Amino acid sequence: MSKASILIIDDELQIRRLLTITLHGDFVVSEAATAKEGMLMAASHPPDLVLLDLGLPDENGHDVLRHLREWYNHPIIILSAQTSEEDIVKALDAGASDYLVKPFRTGELLARIRTALRKSTTADHGPVMTFGNLVIDFAARKVTKENVTVKLTATEYSLLALMARNEGRVLTHQHLLREVWGPSYVQESQYLRVFVAQLRKKIEADPNRPSLILTESGVGYRFSGT
Amino acid sequence: MVQWLKERPYLSSLMLIGGVTLLCLGIHNLVGYRVVAFMLLVSVSILALFLDIRPVIMAALGSALIWDFLFIPPRFTFSIGSTEDGLLLLTYFIIALIHAVLTYKIRDVQKKVREKEAREGQVKFYNTLLNSLSHELRTPITTIIGAADNLLTLRQGLSEQDREELLHSIASASVRLNQQVENLLSMSRLESGVFQVRRDWVDIRELIHRCVQRLEPAINKYRQAIFIPDNMPLVKVDQGLVEQMIHNLISNVIQHTPEGTDVIVRADYADGNLTLTVSDTGKGFPEAEIGMVFEKFYRVKGSRPGGTGLGLSIVKGFVEAQQGRISLRNLPLSGAEFTIELPAEASYLNGIKNE
């Protein structure tokens, strides 16, 4: 299999160099310093993934994201120096696949890139997914932990199934509420909190130190299968 | 009241001059019309003490005309009967004007002195800030630059162990630098005035455990205990702020108490208030300094280096931004306890039936 291609759109030369050094072993890397250049490069040689800095000098990063999403269907990972949760949620809602707040660890970056690329190549996971000693059988709507059936309510199951299918990917509170409870529930975050706590009690080895359902503070949740 | 009048200078001039005029209309038969001039003059002087120059000049002019029209014979005309009275009116107006200008100038000078003092106070404050900052920022930066220089220039001359050590020192200095920058950003966010509290439903148990986990491995050298009642409701608070508050309080314990002591975090909800306490079994705070620990850049005397002296003032700022209260006390046996009370809605949405 040929190397996946990644386009970095970031105005800071040092960051581009760091990213290129981090990535060029496993990926084909190209760089753009401005939004305009980035859009041109993405259009002429569509990459398998875009790393997009939200703070570009020539155009608002949210607008770049929106314009790219009009035709570009591969993953876009947002890099941002702004820690505002609102900003992150806005980018995720606008179609970003994931986000990393500067400063980030390179290990974290690589993990996010791999998850995003895997997501885009294998949309279908098949009927059974295994995460350590937790097995989800989507065909039978059955969950077992250490070979013992976990009794889940219908809502708990829907929530778990949705998160597991998007393993490694951050899902915003609004997204989870809309998908599991319905569009009129997007503001009812207390439901989500309660059900996540219940689910953790049933599937986590230590519900106080979750290793499967991870909290992305102020943004949403991320299911981690590793 | 005074403030209300100051904000409406023309109305208050009118009220005072009008009032005195009415009073004088009642008594001018007893005291004579020349005394009336002095009473009006006193009113103008009083106005000059409080008001800006323009309304005072208006009052001086207005009261001169009133005196002329209502009191100087022949009354109820602007004509003046004698040269003496003409001179008196002119003198009256000049004195009133001089009062207005002089008082205004004096107040202007006072204002400038006050501004200068405030500026000097600010300069002193920023000097303290810069001293503390330059130390806290330059220490990790020096480490990073020095270590990187060594790695670049010495290259093959370095033993594997030295290289490893330099790389680790770059990594840990960067983490420290990042913490300082985070603190500074929080502080400037608080002081920017555009700070917004975003309340949403929060699972406090999850939040506290996550805070503790984030402080690993440093916190593992302490005995940890977390007490949260089983029926703890969800509370509506700003998750990011509460997380940083607890993080800073526990970091403060790690920074200032010996390893092997206890860190105890409690949460409870009663009567519309979320109560969070972080306590330790260290040696506590010097009683005399308890009132000052929340001040910006305040460091308890003889405390370990490291930290910007901002952590606790950020906590206080975040607590107050959510209309809460924070207090600190020494515990009877040993250690100290921070208590935060935040007004918050609660939701007892436990175990919803969803089938």
Side-chain angles (χ1 to χ4, degrees), chain A residues 5-202:
Chain A
S5 56
I6 294 181
L7 171 62
I8 301 164
I9 311 178
D10 193 314
D11 59 317
E12 290 287 344
L13 176 64
Q14 291 197 345
I15 301 278
R16 289 202 307 275
R17 270 170 58 190
L18 172 72
L19 292 174
T20 304
I21 291 170
T22 312
L23 300 172
H24 74 74
D26 299 325
F27 306 97
V28 178
V29 184
S30 49
E31 300 177 18
T34 61
K36 208 173 149 192
E37 196 187 338
M39 303 276 247
L40 278 173
M41 289 174 74
S44 59
H45 297 283
D48 296 313
L49 183 143
V50 173
L51 288 176
L52 173 67
D53 176 35
L54 277 190
L56 292 168
D58 56 333
E59 204 178 334
N60 180 306
H62 289 288
D63 293 337
V64 181
L65 175 64
R66 223 183 44 243
H67 289 149
L68 269 176
R69 268 294 173 245
E70 283 167 6
W71 61 271
Y72 182 77
N73 293 320
H74 293 298
I76 300 174
I77 297 180
I78 295 298
L79 306 176
S80 171
Q82 291 155 310
T83 45
S84 143
E85 291 145 3
E86 263 171 310
D87 237 33
I88 292 163
V89 171
K90 190 174 153 196
L92 291 171
D93 285 343
S97 324
D98 212 328
Y99 72 98
L100 282 159
V101 175
K102 292 175 184 175
F104 48 79
R105 292 324 246 298
T106 47
E108 198 68 46
L109 171 74
L110 287 166
R112 299 289 168 83
I113 289 175
R114 289 200 190 100
T115 301
L117 286 172
R118 190 182 58 227
K119 268 299 295 172
S120 65
T121 48
T122 56
D124 191 33
H125 291 288
V128 177
M129 285 180 87
T130 306
F131 308 100
N133 56 31
L134 187 82
V135 179
I136 305 175
D137 184 337
F138 291 97
R141 294 175 68 86
K142 205 177 132 189
V143 178
T144 57
K145 183 181 155 190
E146 289 165 344
N147 299 320
V148 179
T149 304
V150 181
K151 279 187 187 151
L152 296 179
T153 66
T155 308
E156 285 168 352
Y157 176 79
S158 308
L159 186 60
L160 175 62
L162 177 61
M163 288 199 272
R165 272 193 216 104
N166 290 285
E167 185 215 334
R169 203 182 149 186
V170 61
L171 299 175
T172 62
H173 297 139
Q174 287 85 341
H175 179 84
L176 289 165
L177 284 161
R178 193 184 310 115
E179 295 297 313
V180 176
W181 280 271
S184 55
Y185 284 81
V186 284
Q187 298 305 322
E188 307 290 327
S189 60
Q190 70 266 43
Y191 287 89
L192 193 53
R193 304 264 181 243
V194 169
F195 276 87
V196 166
Q198 283 176 192
L199 252 183
R200 280 178 174 155
K201 274 187 202 148
K202 294 183 182 180

Side-chain angles (χ1 to χ4, degrees), chain A residues 83 85-86 103 105 153-156 173 189-191 193-195 197-198 200 208-210 215 217-218 221, chain B residues 171 175 178 198 200-203 205-206 209-210 213 216 234 239-240 243 347 349-352 354-355:
Chain A
T83 45
E85 291 145 3
E86 263 171 310
R105 292 324 246 298
T153 66
T155 308
E156 285 168 352
H173 297 139
S189 60
Q190 70 266 43
Y191 287 89
R193 304 264 181 243
V194 169
F195 276 87
Q198 283 176 192
R200 280 178 174 155
N208 288 329
R209 306 170 66 86
T215 300
S217 191
Y221 295 95
Chain B
V175 171
N178 189 39
R198 293 172 60 227
D200 197 2
W201 294 107
V202 171
D203 182 344
R205 183 187 310 276
E206 183 211 22
H209 281 280
R210 196 168 57 241
Q213 233 173 320
E216 288 174 353
L234 296 175
Q239 164 154 326
E243 210 168 319
S347 164
L349 201 70
N350 290 321
I352 322 161
N354 62 323
E355 306 319 313

Side-chain angles (χ1 to χ4, degrees), chain B residues 65-302:
Chain B
L65 292 175
I66 286 172
W67 185 47
D68 179 9
F69 189 74
L70 292 182
F71 298 98
I72 298 178
R75 294 182 65 200
F76 308 115
T77 64
F78 283 113
S79 59
I80 295 159
S82 66
T83 324
E84 201 186 345
D85 283 343
L87 273 173
L88 256 178
L89 180 64
L90 188 67
T91 325
Y92 171 90
F93 186 63
I94 292 171
I95 292 175
L97 217 58
I98 290 173
H99 262 212
V101 173
L102 275 186
T103 322
Y104 176 75
K105 278 195 171 166
I106 290 169
R107 280 168 50 211
D108 197 43
V109 168
Q110 278 178 338
K111 199 172 133 200
K112 278 187 181 143
V113 169
R114 269 200 306 274
E115 275 170 2
K116 196 173 165 225
E117 277 169 0
R119 235 186 350 263
E120 276 166 0
Q122 229 168 9
V123 167
K124 203 174 151 203
F125 171 77
Y126 279 106
N127 278 338
T128 324
L129 182 150
L130 287 175
N131 282 341
S132 167
L133 273 188
S134 61
H135 175 79
E136 293 310 329
L137 295 176
R138 280 187 174 147
T139 307
I141 292 173
T142 308
T143 312
I144 294 168
I145 293 179
D149 277 348
N150 282 345
L151 285 166
L152 282 171
T153 52
L154 300 178
R155 300 208 181 216
Q156 308 313 323
L158 287 167
S159 69
E160 190 56 40
Q161 194 195 342
D162 285 347
R163 204 193 330 271
E164 193 78 351
E165 208 165 297
L166 288 172
L167 289 169
H168 278 294
S169 61
I170 290 179
S172 64
S174 314
V175 171
R176 183 170 163 195
L177 187 60
N178 189 39
Q179 279 165 0
Q180 310 291 15
V181 171
E182 289 295 327
N183 270 340
L184 280 172
L185 288 176
S186 300
M187 204 64 209
S188 51
R189 223 178 118 207
L190 260 174
E191 294 194 334
S192 67
V194 294
F195 188 77
Q196 274 189 336
V197 176
R198 293 172 60 227
R199 290 173 203 272
D200 197 2
W201 294 107
V202 171
D203 182 344
I204 285 293
R205 183 187 310 276
E206 183 211 22
L207 183 146
I208 290 176
H209 281 280
R210 196 168 57 241
C211 279
V212 170
Q213 233 173 320
R214 253 175 74 201
L215 282 158
E216 288 174 353
I219 196 160
N220 293 338
K221 293 176 182 139
Y222 295 79
R223 287 190 302 194
Q224 310 148 36
I226 297 172
F227 298 105
I228 301 164
D230 285 336
N231 62 348
M232 183 74 194
L234 296 175
V235 286
K236 208 167 196 180
V237 290
D238 187 311
Q239 164 154 326
L241 297 191
V242 174
E243 210 168 319
Q244 202 179 341
M245 278 152 46
I246 296 176
H247 177 90
N248 286 14
L249 289 181
I250 303 176
S251 301
N252 191 65
V253 174
I254 294 175
Q255 173 75 18
H256 299 289
T257 63
E259 290 173 5
T261 51
D262 304 87
V263 185
I264 303 139
V265 186
R266 286 190 179 81
D268 205 351
Y269 185 86
D271 308 322
N273 274 309
L274 167 68
T275 308
L276 300 164
T277 66
V278 173
S279 51
D280 63 68
T281 49
K283 61 180 165 45
F285 286 82
E287 283 294 336
E289 298 184 44
I290 279 187
M292 294 182 280
V293 298
F294 294 112
E295 280 173 25
K296 254 179 284 176
F297 301 112
Y298 188 80
R299 319 265 309 256
V300 170
K301 290 186 187 69

